[in-house]
Amino acid sequence: GTTAYTNFSGSFSAGKRMGNFMPSVSVHAANILNSTQVEAEGALLIYPFGNNRFYMRTVYAGIQNDGVFQPVFTQQLGGRITDKIWYDASASFGNHSQYITNYGFLTYNTADPVKMNIGADLRFCFKNIEIVPGYHFQQREGSYRQYKTPTDFTTTRFNYSTHLLTTSIKWKF
């Protein structure tokens, strides 16, 4: 038989910079692979020196994924090393299954949920191009089933880690 899915994802975000602080809120709703997800996320971006040479961002998200509550906590540090080199380091903890973040621009839609994501990126800015190499360490949770009969099975859960090396290139015309 054929399985049909109706998938959607929608987000609303609002924030306002007030001096050295920028609070923001985001609300997300999605239906991915027939799984309903609703999320509220609050963030506080702090510029301790009043500029973007150094910033800190703290994010807390509460996710309802098919009626199961999943909290996710994220901490970011970043800033400018030179006029052409920027850095960003982050750590995120919690069940990221179908987690929508970064004002709706990033969705964790994987078979094995990410439980921890720690990483760093460097951004090299030139006249018409940005190059962003990065490294992230993720801890994930997987599972498998062992069948004794077609209706009698046991599910085994396990944790594993991945190392991600990424590079993005943005060309400005």
Side-chain angles (χ1 to χ4, degrees):
T2 302
T3 302
Y5 295 107
T6 302
N7 300 310
F8 71 87
S9 176
S11 298
F12 173 80
S13 299
K16 176 156 176 60
R17 181 150 179 191
M18 297 177 282
N20 292 4
F21 302 95
M22 185 179 149
S24 64
V25 294
S26 298
V27 178
H28 313 283
N31 187 322
I32 301 171
L33 298 176
N34 291 339
S35 178
T36 303
Q37 187 259 1
V38 177
E39 173 186 334
E41 184 178 70
L44 180 62
L45 183 58
I46 302 171
Y47 301 95
F49 307 117
N51 56 37
N52 58 6
R53 281 208 172 273
F54 178 71
Y55 63 87
M56 299 177 290
R57 183 171 181 250
T58 301
V59 181
Y60 177 80
I63 306 161
Q64 283 286 342
N65 215 349
D66 277 339
V68 177
F69 182 72
Q70 302 167 203
V72 175
F73 175 77
T74 304
Q75 183 66 53
Q76 283 180 287
L77 301 171
R80 185 171 61 183
I81 298 170
T82 70
D83 286 344
K84 298 193 181 290
I85 302 173
W86 297 72
Y87 68 93
D88 184 69
S90 63
S92 186
F93 304 93
N95 186 343
H96 292 60
S97 180
Q98 298 186 33
Y99 175 35
I100 302 169
T101 187
N102 288 354
Y103 308 107
F105 288 104
L106 175 63
T107 300
Y108 288 87
N109 181 22
T110 61
D112 292 343
V114 174
K115 298 294 190 159
M116 177 180 70
N117 188 19
I118 298 173
D121 298 316
L122 283 175
R123 181 179 308 274
F124 297 95
C125 304
F126 303 102
K127 184 177 179 182
N128 292 327
I129 193 168
E130 287 183 11
I131 301 171
V132 185
Y135 167 78
H136 288 263
F137 172 80
Q138 291 184 344
Q139 185 175 40
R140 295 175 175 240
E141 180 181 85
S143 65
Y144 63 89
R145 289 182 176 174
Q146 292 178 304
Y147 287 87
K148 296 175 185 158
T149 68
T151 57
D152 183 21
F153 61 87
T154 58
T155 301
T156 303
R157 298 194 185 285
F158 59 93
N159 291 321
Y160 67 96
S161 301
T162 60
H163 300 270
L164 303 172
L165 296 174
T166 60
T167 301
S168 64
I169 299 172
K170 184 165 110 177
W171 183 271
K172 299 176 192 173
F173 293 97

Coordinates of all heavy atoms in Angstrom, one line a residue, residues 70-112:
Q70 N 9.4 17.8 25.7 CA 10.8 17.8 25.5 C 11.4 19.1 25.7 O 11.3 20.0 24.9 CB 11.1 17.3 24.1 CG 10.5 16.0 23.6 CD 10.6 15.9 22.1 OE1 9.9 15.1 21.6 NE2 11.5 16.6 21.4
P71 N 12.1 19.4 26.9 CA 12.8 20.6 27.0 C 14.2 20.6 26.3 O 14.8 19.6 26.3 CB 13.0 20.8 28.5 CG 13.0 19.4 29.0 CD 12.2 18.6 28.1
V72 N 14.6 21.7 25.7 CA 15.9 21.9 25.1 C 16.5 23.2 25.6 O 15.9 24.2 25.6 CB 15.9 21.8 23.6 CG1 17.3 22.1 23.0 CG2 15.3 20.5 23.1
F73 N 17.8 23.1 26.1 CA 18.5 24.3 26.6 C 19.8 24.5 25.7 O 20.5 23.5 25.5 CB 18.9 24.1 28.0 CG 19.8 25.2 28.6 CD1 19.2 26.4 28.9 CD2 21.1 25.1 28.7 CE1 20.0 27.5 29.4 CE2 21.9 26.1 29.2 CZ 21.3 27.3 29.5
T74 N 20.0 25.7 25.3 CA 21.1 26.0 24.4 C 21.8 27.3 24.9 O 21.2 28.2 25.4 CB 20.6 26.3 23.0 OG1 19.9 25.2 22.5 CG2 21.8 26.6 22.0
Q75 N 23.2 27.2 24.9 CA 24.0 28.4 25.2 C 25.0 28.6 24.1 O 25.6 27.7 23.6 CB 24.8 28.1 26.5 CG 25.6 29.3 27.0 CD 24.7 30.5 27.4 OE1 23.8 30.4 28.2 NE2 25.0 31.6 26.8
Q76 N 25.1 29.9 23.6 CA 26.0 30.3 22.5 C 26.9 31.4 23.0 O 26.4 32.3 23.8 CB 25.2 30.8 21.3 CG 24.6 29.8 20.5 CD 23.9 30.4 19.3 OE1 22.8 31.0 19.5 NE2 24.4 30.3 18.1
L77 N 28.1 31.4 22.5 CA 29.0 32.5 22.7 C 29.6 32.8 21.3 O 29.9 31.9 20.6 CB 30.2 32.1 23.6 CG 29.8 31.7 25.1 CD1 31.0 31.2 25.8 CD2 29.2 32.9 25.8
G78 N 29.8 34.1 21.0 CA 30.3 34.4 19.7 C 30.8 35.8 19.7 O 30.7 36.6 20.6
G79 N 31.5 36.1 18.6 CA 31.9 37.5 18.4 C 32.9 37.6 17.2 O 33.0 36.7 16.4
R80 N 33.6 38.8 17.2 CA 34.4 39.1 16.1 C 35.9 39.0 16.6 O 36.2 39.6 17.6 CB 34.1 40.5 15.7 CG 34.9 41.0 14.5 CD 34.3 42.3 14.0 NE 34.4 43.3 15.0 CZ 34.0 44.6 14.9 NH1 33.4 44.9 13.8 NH2 34.1 45.4 15.8
I81 N 36.7 38.3 15.9 CA 38.1 38.2 16.1 C 38.8 39.4 15.4 O 39.6 40.1 16.0 CB 38.7 36.9 15.7 CG1 38.0 35.8 16.5 CG2 40.2 36.8 15.9 CD1 38.3 34.4 16.0
T82 N 38.6 39.6 14.1 CA 39.0 40.7 13.3 C 37.8 41.2 12.5 O 36.7 40.6 12.6 CB 40.2 40.3 12.4 OG1 39.7 39.4 11.4 CG2 41.3 39.6 13.1
D83 N 38.0 42.2 11.7 CA 36.9 42.6 10.8 C 36.4 41.6 9.9 O 35.3 41.6 9.4 CB 37.3 43.9 10.1 CG 37.4 45.1 10.9 OD1 36.8 45.1 12.1 OD2 38.0 46.1 10.5
K84 N 37.3 40.6 9.6 CA 37.0 39.6 8.6 C 36.8 38.2 9.2 O 36.4 37.2 8.4 CB 38.0 39.5 7.5 CG 38.1 40.9 6.7 CD 39.0 40.7 5.5 CE 39.1 42.0 4.8 NZ 37.9 42.4 4.1
I85 N 37.0 38.0 10.5 CA 36.9 36.7 11.1 C 36.0 36.7 12.3 O 36.3 37.5 13.2 CB 38.3 36.1 11.5 CG1 39.2 36.0 10.2 CG2 38.2 34.7 12.1 CD1 40.6 35.7 10.6
W86 N 35.0 35.9 12.3 CA 34.0 35.8 13.4 C 34.0 34.3 14.0 O 34.4 33.4 13.3 CB 32.6 36.1 12.9 CG 32.5 37.5 12.4 CD1 33.0 38.0 11.3 CD2 31.9 38.6 13.1 NE1 32.7 39.3 11.2 CE2 32.0 39.7 12.3 CE3 31.2 38.7 14.3 CZ2 31.4 41.0 12.6 CZ3 30.6 39.9 14.6 CH2 30.8 41.0 13.8
Y87 N 33.6 34.2 15.2 CA 33.5 32.8 15.8 C 32.2 32.7 16.5 O 31.5 33.6 16.9 CB 34.6 32.6 16.8 CG 34.5 33.4 18.0 CD1 33.9 32.9 19.2 CD2 35.1 34.7 18.1 CE1 33.7 33.7 20.3 CE2 34.9 35.5 19.2 CZ 34.3 35.0 20.3 OH 34.1 35.8 21.4
D88 N 31.8 31.4 16.6 CA 30.5 31.1 17.3 C 30.7 29.7 17.9 O 31.1 28.7 17.2 CB 29.3 31.1 16.3 CG 28.0 30.8 17.1 OD1 27.6 31.7 17.8 OD2 27.4 29.7 16.9
A89 N 30.5 29.6 19.2 CA 30.5 28.3 19.9 C 29.2 28.1 20.6 O 28.6 29.0 21.1 CB 31.7 28.3 20.9
S90 N 28.7 26.8 20.6 CA 27.4 26.5 21.2 C 27.4 25.1 21.8 O 28.1 24.2 21.4 CB 26.3 26.7 20.1 OG 26.5 25.7 19.1
A91 N 26.5 25.0 22.8 CA 26.2 23.7 23.4 C 24.7 23.7 23.6 O 24.1 24.6 24.1 CB 26.9 23.6 24.7
S92 N 24.1 22.5 23.2 CA 22.7 22.3 23.3 C 22.4 21.0 23.9 O 23.0 20.0 23.5 CB 22.0 22.5 21.9 OG 20.6 22.5 22.0
F93 N 21.4 20.9 24.9 CA 21.1 19.7 25.6 C 19.6 19.5 25.6 O 18.8 20.4 25.8 CB 21.6 19.7 27.0 CG 23.1 20.0 27.1 CD1 23.6 21.3 27.2 CD2 24.0 19.0 27.0 CE1 24.9 21.6 27.3 CE2 25.4 19.3 27.1 CZ 25.8 20.6 27.2
G94 N 19.2 18.2 25.4 CA 17.8 17.9 25.5 C 17.4 17.1 24.2 O 18.2 16.9 23.3
N95 N 16.2 16.6 24.2 CA 15.7 15.8 23.0 C 15.4 16.7 21.9 O 14.4 17.4 21.9 CB 14.5 14.9 23.4 CG 14.1 14.0 22.3 OD1 14.4 14.2 21.2 ND2 13.3 13.0 22.7
H96 N 16.2 16.7 20.8 CA 16.0 17.6 19.7 C 15.1 17.0 18.6 O 15.1 17.5 17.5 CB 17.4 17.9 19.1 CG 18.3 18.7 19.9 ND1 18.7 18.3 21.1 CD2 18.9 19.9 19.6 CE1 19.6 19.2 21.6 NE2 19.7 20.2 20.7
S97 N 14.4 16.0 18.9 CA 13.5 15.4 17.9 C 12.5 16.4 17.4 O 11.7 16.9 18.2 CB 12.8 14.2 18.5 OG 12.0 13.6 17.6
Q98 N 12.5 16.7 16.1 CA 11.7 17.7 15.5 C 11.7 19.1 16.1 O 10.8 19.8 16.1 CB 10.2 17.2 15.4 CG 10.1 15.9 14.6 CD 8.7 15.5 14.4 OE1 7.8 16.3 14.3 NE2 8.5 14.2 14.3
Y99 N 12.9 19.4 16.7 CA 13.1 20.7 17.3 C 13.3 21.8 16.2 O 14.1 21.6 15.3 CB 14.3 20.6 18.2 CG 14.8 21.9 18.9 CD1 13.9 22.9 19.3 CD2 16.1 22.1 19.1 CE1 14.3 24.0 19.9 CE2 16.6 23.2 19.7 CZ 15.7 24.2 20.1 OH 16.1 25.4 20.7
I100 N 12.5 22.8 16.3 CA 12.6 23.9 15.3 C 13.3 25.1 16.1 O 12.8 25.5 17.1 CB 11.3 24.3 14.8 CG1 10.6 23.2 14.1 CG2 11.4 25.5 13.8 CD1 9.2 23.4 13.7
T101 N 14.4 25.7 15.6 CA 15.1 26.7 16.3 C 15.7 27.7 15.4 O 15.4 27.7 14.2 CB 16.2 26.1 17.2 OG1 16.7 27.1 18.0 CG2 17.3 25.4 16.4
N102 N 16.4 28.7 15.9 CA 17.0 29.8 15.1 C 16.0 30.5 14.3 O 16.1 30.7 13.1 CB 18.2 29.3 14.2 CG 19.4 28.9 15.0 OD1 19.4 29.1 16.3 ND2 20.4 28.3 14.4
Y103 N 14.9 30.9 15.0 CA 13.9 31.7 14.4 C 13.2 31.0 13.2 O 12.7 31.6 12.3 CB 14.4 33.1 13.9 CG 15.1 33.8 15.0 CD1 16.5 33.9 15.0 CD2 14.4 34.3 16.1 CE1 17.2 34.6 16.0 CE2 15.1 34.9 17.2 CZ 16.5 35.1 17.1 OH 17.2 35.7 18.1
G104 N 13.1 29.6 13.3 CA 12.4 28.8 12.3 C 13.3 28.4 11.1 O 12.9 27.7 10.2
F105 N 14.6 28.7 11.2 CA 15.5 28.4 10.0 C 16.2 27.0 10.2 O 16.8 26.6 9.2 CB 16.6 29.5 9.9 CG 16.0 30.8 9.3 CD1 15.9 31.9 10.2 CD2 15.7 30.9 8.0 CE1 15.3 33.0 9.7 CE2 15.2 32.1 7.5 CZ 15.0 33.2 8.4
L106 N 16.1 26.4 11.3 CA 16.8 25.1 11.5 C 15.8 24.1 12.2 O 15.1 24.5 13.2 CB 18.0 25.3 12.5 CG 18.7 24.0 12.9 CD1 19.3 23.3 11.6 CD2 19.8 24.3 13.9
T107 N 15.6 23.0 11.6 CA 14.7 21.9 12.1 C 15.5 20.6 12.2 O 16.2 20.2 11.3 CB 13.5 21.7 11.2 OG1 12.8 22.9 11.0 CG2 12.6 20.6 11.7
Y108 N 15.5 20.0 13.4 CA 16.1 18.7 13.7 C 15.1 17.7 13.3 O 14.2 17.4 14.1 CB 16.5 18.6 15.1 CG 17.7 19.4 15.5 CD1 17.6 20.7 15.9 CD2 19.0 18.9 15.4 CE1 18.7 21.5 16.3 CE2 20.1 19.6 15.8 CZ 20.0 20.9 16.2 OH 21.1 21.6 16.6
N109 N 15.2 17.1 12.1 CA 14.2 16.1 11.6 C 15.0 14.9 11.2 O 15.3 14.6 10.1 CB 13.4 16.7 10.4 CG 12.4 15.7 9.9 OD1 12.0 14.8 10.6 ND2 12.0 15.9 8.7
T110 N 15.4 14.1 12.3 CA 16.2 12.9 12.0 C 15.5 11.7 12.6 O 14.7 11.8 13.6 CB 17.6 13.1 12.6 OG1 17.5 13.2 14.1 CG2 18.4 14.3 12.1
A111 N 15.9 10.5 12.1 CA 15.3 9.3 12.7 C 15.8 9.1 14.1 O 15.0 8.6 14.9 CB 15.7 8.1 11.8
D112 N 17.0 9.3 14.4 CA 17.6 9.2 15.7 C 17.7 10.5 16.4 O 18.5 11.4 15.9 CB 18.9 8.5 15.7 CG 18.8 7.0 15.2 OD1 17.7 6.5 15.3 OD2 19.9 6.5 14.9

